[in-house]
Every structure is written in C-alpha cells, then in structure tokens.
C-alpha cells in the first residue's frame, strides 16, 4: 500500500501573527514558516505504517509557492520516500486543494491518505473531508488511533464527548489529531539524504483543476485586545473581587 | 429560500450548540427548518419543534443516521440543499465532520466557525488561533456554514410550534460503521455551555490533583477543562481540552490554574467575561489576559479557594 500525505507550509505555531496595515491579510514576509504541526503527525504515522510493513511507499504532496519545496524536504528528511510540489498561491482554498489532491490520488492510487485535522493558519478543518467526498471514500476524522487490517481500518476519533471507535472501508482519508503520535525529528544524515530524494513538480493546468477562489476576503482585522487586569494579593482578595466587583460567583 | 440547520444530538439528548446555530440562522433571516436525522429521533424531533423561531422540523429516521456518520448524512443533506440558501451546523465535532463533505459534494466552499454575521452573504471568522479575524463574502448559491456556539446566544428551547415532517432515507453507504464510544461521564455542566469553567494545566502535575479543581468546581457549579499539555500528559481525557484545536468556551468566569497561556490555549477561552489566572510564575503570558491574577503556588491557592467559597 502506498500512503499519500498532503503537507501544508504555515507560519510557525510559535509566531505571533500580525495583521497587514491594509487589512488584506496577515504579514507573511520575513516570518518563520514551518510544516503544519498536524501534518508532521500525519507524516510520522505514514512512516510508522511503513516501518511496520503496512506501507510500501510514503509520498508527500504540498500545494503552494516555491518555498513549499522546503516543507516537502522536511518530510523527506523525516523519512518519506518522494515528494510532489504543486505551484499555487499561498491562500488557495480547501475546496481547490481537495480537487488538486483528488487529481494526485487518481495518478498515484494510494491506499490511504493521511491529512492533518486542520491547518493552523486558516483553521478551516475541511480539506480531508472534502477530498473524501470528491473521491467517494470513507473518512476518519480527528483520529487518535489507527490500525489498518486488509481492506478495513479501525480508528479511534476524538469527539466532543470523549472517544469514538469506527471501522472504515479502505482506501480511506484519515485526518489526524494531536494524540495520534509524537513526530520524530530529522537527523542530520537524513537531512543530507533527503536532498537526493525525488521531488516532482506538477502544475495546476496539468491537473486540469479550477482553483479560482470562491470566497472574497473583505478584510482581515486584529481582534479587540482585552483590557489589562490586576493582580490580587491573596485568595481572600480574589474571592472578594469575584463576589462584589465582578459579581460572577 | 429558507435556511436549514443541522441538529446535533446523540439520539437521547439534544445538543445545546444547535440552539446557538438556530440563533445565527435567525440573524441571517428567512424560514428556518431543522434537520433531525437519527435512530428513533422522535423525542428529539418533538424537542426541536419547540425551539423558538423554527418553522419546520424534517425528520429522517434510520439506524444509518444514529452515529453521525458523514458518509450517510452528507448525501441526505445534499438532497435537501436546493431548497435552501444557507445550510448551518454547529461547529461541534459532528458538524465539522459532516459539513465539509456536504460542501464538496455541492461544489461549494464552506465557511467554518463563523462568529459574526454582517449580512446574508458576509461572515466573520477567526483565523490563526483567533489572532486575526477574517471577514469573507460568499456568492455561492448555497452557503455551507459551521457556527461557533459561543459567539451566538442560545435560541429559546421553548415557545415554538414547528410542523414536523418525515423525510425519506438514503440508506447506508457501507463505507464506515460505528463500533463503540468511550464517553466521559460527569454530573457537572457541559464544558462549552457552563457558566463557570475551571481548567488545569501542566502545573497540576498529575491527574489525581485534578480532584482539587473538581472540589472547587462542585462548589461553583462549574465545568472542568484543561490545557493540551494536561491532556497529552494523560491527566484528563481529550474532551477536556480547551483551545485552538480543542473546545472553545466563553463562560462568565474562566479560572486557569497552572496554565501558562500559550496562544493556542488563549484561542479557546479569551472571550470569557472574567478570567482568573493562578500561576506561580508572575511573567506567565496568561496574566496578560487575566482580569484577576494571583501569583501563587496552586497547591496552596486551590485548597484555600475551596475553603473560602464555604
Ligand atoms: C498544533 C498545536 C495545537 C495546539 N492546540 C492547543 C489547544 O487546543 N489547547 C491548548 O491548551 N494548547 C494547545 N497547544 C499547546 C500549546 O502550545 C501549549 O504547549 C500548551 O497550552 C501548554 O500547556 P500548559 O500551559 O498547561 O503548560 P506549560 O506551558 O508548561 O505551563 C505550565 C504553567 O504552570 C505553572 N505552574 C507550574 N507549577 C505550578 C504551581 N505549583 N503553582 C502554580 N503554577 C504552576 C508554570 O509557571 C507554567 O506557567 C497546541 C500546540 C500546537 C503545536
Ligand atoms: N496547500 C496545501 N498543501 C498540502 N496539503 C494541504 C494544503 N492545505 C491543506 N492541506 C491538508 O489539509 C489539512 C487540513 O487543512 P484545512 O482544511 O485548511 O484546515 C492540512 O493539515 C493538510 O494535511
């Protein structure tokens, strides 16, 4: 079985983003970028499947500007076998991403696609479900445990009330949650090796997909800041304030 | 054209977040229909019909709808789509699972997690863990939307008298099947709708120490939450996680204990009315959003707090 892992390049999760002065978006220039943390978990899971002989090849795909090739190299350094880069603008929408991924799935015929549950920039939480819809495949979302056995997979999902166990038909789309695994770091020798691994480029035209945005961004704003509060001296003062000033208890 | 709201429920209990989605639908304006799909969803349908502002309840009854499986529910919703200008669902794990599948089948871009409605086509939603707010306009014929429950008042659960109409089933896709659930059981209020929430972080040191927070919670009628670090360390189950990738809460009072205040955590609680932080590090970022900060060792402060509450 081949495993396909779509990885997104996003602003590093430690960076405090700034809104552009013209309210057209957030500042991306000279900002530290990284692989979407959920996608690192997806890559890790694909590698574990391969190491357990549950997968023959791990292919990563990233859609975005030329710099996304660095993100693909990171995944290759973790241990993925091959990369595919599809050139597009940074703010391509999940529906268009899902359509491009569908075209890649049709070429590559993977048995499993592992996506992140959400990209931490757009916070959309859509792409995996959309890809599953377009392919007519089963979807296992927000997954914290995965066990593939033949043409079925047993999954555990993180849901609002706790955990849910499902069995899904393969091939399937699985979107990974935080507790699935802890991603490995790439070692220096592996980073060197990754430079020689194959990385193909595909164009949107080649894949024949319309990626024109459906939504218009009217404006992007900074949220209202909270007013600075006070420090209380002790628990007594805290309780007194909550009772008499804030009146919340 | 009207608005369809997908009802989140577990066949026994009506999900409170649906009431917030109904409020969002009322702000958009138009006839509101509620879709109740489930197994023996009769009682839920009766409850749904009583919600103020709902004109009609559509009921799809069948075992294939019992567990919120997206592969079965998405085609059902798609078949109804042509009659509606908007289809809304609460941004619960069920809504988030199903709606993008609906959107892709209809070839529509979904608008996730809206927090404000400017007009019937224009919506505001948080991006980058709420560090920016994006206003987007959709010109699609059907708008597919998930609603952040904390951003909209709950519609009144009583006073309505909607008609109830049974609709046909689409059958089982055969793509996925439900095995079992491991649900956290608690007598405390539900995290996302509780008026008071007390959350613990890595500073709690282990799961047993959460008993201290539970004692305070019981005195205040509060729900108990946690940071990701506390969940990852196994102190508490995953459904306690508050934050960008967990649950979003906005209670009257949020008490953060032994939580540093990473942006991913703030994303889930910074719209709370009053925030209290108890942390031994006076530089912890949580103090920047706290109305009342107490620099103290939580192992002294929390038991004392419990005593003070009498
Ligand atoms: C993709 C991604 C998604 C994430 N999503 C979330 C999310 O949804 N929710 C979330 O919470 N986090 C999330 N995080 C993690 C987040 O970045 C932080 O790592 C996490 O919130 C830290 O948890 P914490 O504050 O409990 O732990 P720490 O940052 O370790 O803070 C512990 C605090 O406890 C204090 N403390 C320790 N001992 C005591 C004591 N005895 N008395 C008083 N205070 C004490 C310390 O001073 C410290 O401030 C996410 C991260 C990533 C990368
Ligand atoms: N531009 C992209 N390139 C590759 N994968 C992507 C891209 N955008 C989204 N994805 C995948 O879809 C997941 C969910 O993204 P989203 O729906 O935007 O929250 C991510 O974690 C990735 O696995």
């Amino acid at each position: 079985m081949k495993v396909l892992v779509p990885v997104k390049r996003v602003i590093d999760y430690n960076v405090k983003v700034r809104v552009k002065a013209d309210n057209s978006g957030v500042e991306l220039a000279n900002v530290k970028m990284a692989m979407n943390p959920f996608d690192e978990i997806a890559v890790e899971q694909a590698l574990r499947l391969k190491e357990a002989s549950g997968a023959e090849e791990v292919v990563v795909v990233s859609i975005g500007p030329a710099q996304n090739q660095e993100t693909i190299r990171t995944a290759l350094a973790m241990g993925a076998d091959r990369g595919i880069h599809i050139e597009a603008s940074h703010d391509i929408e999940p529906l268009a991403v899902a359509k491009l991924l569908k075209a890649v799935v049709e070429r590559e015929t993977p048995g499993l696609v592992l996506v992140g549950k959400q990209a931490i920039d757009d916070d959309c939480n859509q792409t995996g479900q959309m890809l599953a819809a377009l392919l007519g495949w089963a979807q296992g979302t927000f997954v914290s445990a995965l066990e593939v056995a033949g043409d079925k997979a047993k999954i555990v999902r993180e849901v609002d009330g706790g955990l849910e166990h499902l069995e899904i038909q393969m091939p399937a789309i699985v979107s990974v949650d935080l507790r699935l695994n802890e991603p490995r770091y790439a070692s220096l020798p592996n980073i060197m090796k990754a430079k020689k691994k194959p990385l193909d480029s595909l164009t949107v035209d080649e894949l024949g997909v319309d990626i024109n945005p459906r939504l218009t961004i009217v404006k992007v704003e900074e949220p209202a800041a909270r007013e600075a509060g006070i420090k209380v001296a002790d628990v007594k003062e805290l309780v007194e304030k909550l009772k008499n000033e804030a009146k919340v208890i | 054209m009207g608005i369809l709201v997908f009802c989140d429920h577990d066949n026994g209990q009506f999900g409170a977040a649906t009431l917030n989605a109904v409020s969002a639908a009322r702000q958009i304006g138009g006839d509101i229909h509620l879709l109740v799909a489930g197994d023996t969803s009769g009682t839920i349908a009766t409850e749904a019909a009583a919600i103020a502002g709902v004109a009609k309840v559509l009921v799809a009854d069948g075992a294939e709808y019992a567990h919120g499986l997206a592969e079965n529910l998405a085609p059902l919703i798609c078949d109804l789509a042509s009659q509606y200008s908007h289809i809304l669902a609460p941004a619960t794990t069920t809504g988030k699972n199903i709606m993008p599948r609906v959107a892709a089948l209809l070839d529509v871009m979904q608008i996730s997690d809206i927090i404000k409605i400017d007009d019937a086509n224009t919506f505001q939603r948080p991006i980058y863990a709420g560090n920016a707010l994006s206003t987007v306009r959709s010109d699609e014929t059907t708008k597919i939307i998930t609603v952040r429950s904390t951003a909209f008042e709950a519609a009144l659960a009583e006073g309505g008298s909607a008609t109830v109409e049974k609709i046909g089933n689409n059958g089982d896709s055969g793509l996925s099947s439900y095995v079992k659930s491991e649900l956290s059981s608690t007598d405390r209020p539900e995290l996302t709708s509780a008026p008071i929430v007390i959350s613990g972080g890595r500073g709690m040191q282990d799961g047993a120490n959460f008993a201290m927070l539970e004692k305070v919670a019981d005195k205040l009628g509060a729900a108990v939450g946690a940071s990701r670090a506390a969940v990852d360390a196994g102190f508490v189950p995953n459904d306690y996680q508050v934050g960008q990738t967990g649950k979003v809460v906005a209670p009257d009072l949020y008490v953060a204990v032994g939580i540093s205040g990473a942006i991913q955590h703030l994303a889930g609680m910074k719209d709370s009315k009053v925030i209290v932080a108890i942390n031994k590090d006076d530089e912890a970022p949580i103090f920047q959003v706290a109305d009342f900060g107490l620099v103290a060792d939580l192992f002294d402060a929390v038991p004392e707090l419990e005593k003070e509450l009498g």
Side-chain angles (χ1 to χ4, degrees):
Chain A
M1 181 179 69
K2 189 193 284 185
V3 182
L4 185 72
V5 188
V7 296
K8 188 173 189 186
R9 180 179 170 87
V10 298
I11 293 185
D12 185 275
Y13 79 97
N14 282 309
V15 172
K16 169 100 175 70
V17 299
R18 286 212 320 273
V19 170
K20 281 191 193 162
D22 66 0
N23 293 111
S24 63
V26 304
E27 196 55 72
L28 289 172
N30 301 318
V31 172
K32 188 178 174 212
M33 305 291 283
M35 193 191 305
N36 183 40
F38 287 99
D39 303 350
E40 288 180 349
I41 296 171
V43 172
E44 175 66 36
Q45 198 61 27
L47 298 175
R48 289 188 189 185
L49 279 170
K50 188 178 168 187
E51 285 154 4
S53 312
E56 288 117 41
E57 194 186 24
V58 176
V59 181
V60 294
V61 51
S62 192
I63 301 159
Q67 295 89 323
N68 281 39
Q69 294 189 3
E70 289 168 31
T71 311
I72 295 173
R73 291 282 174 212
T74 307
L76 297 178
M78 285 173 73
D81 298 296
R82 184 155 67 78
I84 301 170
H85 174 230
I86 305 170
E87 178 104 24
S89 87
H90 169 81
D91 6 72
I92 179 167
E93 292 173 347
L95 181 63
V97 170
K99 287 180 181 177
L100 290 169
L101 292 176
K102 173 177 187 260
V104 173
V105 166
E106 280 161 358
R107 288 178 168 223
E108 296 282 341
T109 61
L112 173 68
V113 182
L114 287 168
V115 300
K117 99 161 168 183
Q118 102 193 39
I120 60 161
D121 52 1
D122 62 25
D123 284 335
C124 274
N125 194 333
Q126 299 176 2
T127 307
Q129 298 88 314
M130 287 182 158
L131 177 59
L134 298 176
L135 290 165
W137 288 9
Q139 65 185 55
T141 51
F142 327 144
V143 163
S144 63
L146 167 68
E147 200 187 307
V148 181
D151 67 346
K152 294 254 168 37
K154 289 189 175 131
I155 57 166
V156 181
R157 306 179 56 226
E158 293 202 354
V159 294
D160 288 337
L163 297 172
E164 182 181 82
H165 296 243
L166 298 182
E167 195 173 77
I168 57 175
Q169 188 67 42
M170 300 287 275
I173 311 291
V174 168
S175 95
V176 306
D177 215 320
L178 296 168
R179 256 73 61 182
L180 182 59
N181 62 48
E182 254 189 72
R184 69 194 66 186
Y185 290 101
S187 67
L188 195 58
N190 285 344
I191 293 173
M192 300 311 291
K193 262 194 248 162
K195 292 187 175 152
K196 297 204 194 78
K197 289 186 179 174
L199 199 175
D200 296 326
S201 288
L202 288 174
T203 65
V204 170
D205 284 348
E206 261 175 279
L207 296 170
V209 174
D210 173 7
I211 63 163
N212 282 313
R214 301 293 186 82
L215 303 178
T216 311
I217 296 172
V218 180
K219 60 179 179 219
V220 175
E221 299 160 286
E222 203 90 51
R226 272 189 92 91
E227 268 176 53
I230 58 159
K231 291 251 169 75
V232 292
D234 51 31
V235 171
K236 264 201 170 55
E237 188 188 349
L238 175 64
V239 172
E240 190 272 320
K241 295 265 190 228
L242 292 178
K243 278 192 174 144
N244 302 321
E245 201 172 295
K247 299 191 167 67
V248 284
I249 60 171
Chain B
M1 274 207 286
I3 302 174
L4 184 68
V5 178
F6 174 80
C7 175
D8 191 351
H9 66 85
D10 65 2
N11 300 298
Q13 286 232 304
F14 193 88
T18 304
L19 296 174
N20 308 93
V22 168
S23 281
R26 291 183 75 171
Q27 279 188 33
I28 294 168
D31 259 9
I32 299 171
H33 295 180
L34 218 59
L35 172 62
V36 176
D39 198 7
T40 58
S41 39
T43 52
I44 304 279
T46 314
E47 275 182 57
I51 298 173
V54 175
K56 198 197 272 185
V57 176
L58 304 176
V59 183
D61 214 340
E64 68 270 38
Y65 304 132
H67 300 290
L69 296 174
E71 296 85 346
N72 293 345
L73 284 158
L76 179 73
I77 298 171
C78 287
D79 281 352
L80 299 167
S82 64
Q83 303 162 47
Y84 299 97
S85 60
H86 299 71
I87 305 179
L88 273 56
T92 54
T93 44
T94 305
K96 290 176 188 174
N97 184 39
I98 298 167
M99 295 306 273
R101 193 165 177 116
V102 173
L105 292 174
L106 297 174
D107 193 25
V108 163
M109 179 53 205
Q110 171 176 305
I111 309 165
S112 298
D113 225 10
I114 63 162
I115 56 168
K116 189 164 162 275
I117 295 162
D118 284 356
D119 60 45
N121 304 323
T122 317
F123 310 91
Q124 194 180 55
R125 57 178 304 267
I127 54 174
Y128 291 92
N131 286 301
L133 303 177
S134 175
T135 302
V136 294
R137 198 185 69 235
S138 165
D139 298 311
E140 314 252 28
T141 44
T142 315
K143 275 104 187 147
I144 306 290
I145 292 169
T146 60
V147 178
R148 179 174 287 200
S149 57
T150 53
F152 298 89
E153 293 278 321
L156 292 178
E158 275 155 49
S161 55
T163 55
V164 176
E165 183 185 312
K166 243 181 135 59
I167 58 170
N169 293 21
N170 284 56
D172 191 340
S173 73
L175 288 172
S176 59
S177 55
Y178 173 81
V179 179
K180 63 173 179 186
S181 299
E182 295 169 60
L183 302 181
S184 316
S185 64
T186 168
D187 298 332
R188 290 188 197 87
E190 203 267 314
L191 188 53
T192 53
S193 53
I196 302 180
V197 173
I198 178 162
S199 291
R202 199 194 313 265
M204 296 301 295
Q205 284 177 11
D206 68 40
N209 291 332
F210 266 74
M212 293 195 304
L213 300 187
E214 285 162 9
K215 281 188 197 151
V216 175
D218 289 341
K219 287 202 168 158
L220 292 171
V224 178
S227 70
R228 174 188 172 183
V231 177
D232 282 3
F235 301 173
V236 287
N238 63 283
D239 52 298
Y240 280 49
Q241 184 178 314
V242 170
Q244 178 187 18
T245 58
K247 286 180 179 160
V248 177
V249 303
D252 295 332
L253 174 62
Y254 187 86
V255 185
V257 181
I259 292 177
S260 62
I263 52 171
Q264 292 84 12
H265 188 77
L266 300 185
M269 46 62 81
K270 73 181 157 82
D271 291 329
S272 305
K273 273 205 199 91
V274 174
I275 297 174
V276 168
I278 301 176
N279 197 304
K280 68 178 179 189
D281 172 11
D282 67 351
E283 308 255 288
I286 190 76
F287 288 122
Q288 291 164 20
V289 299
D291 300 280
F292 302 108
L294 176 62
V295 182
D297 192 309
L298 71 90
F299 293 98
D300 300 327
V302 176
E304 210 185 318
L305 177 61
E306 194 220 323
K307 252 199 250 126
E308 279 295 320
L309 292 171

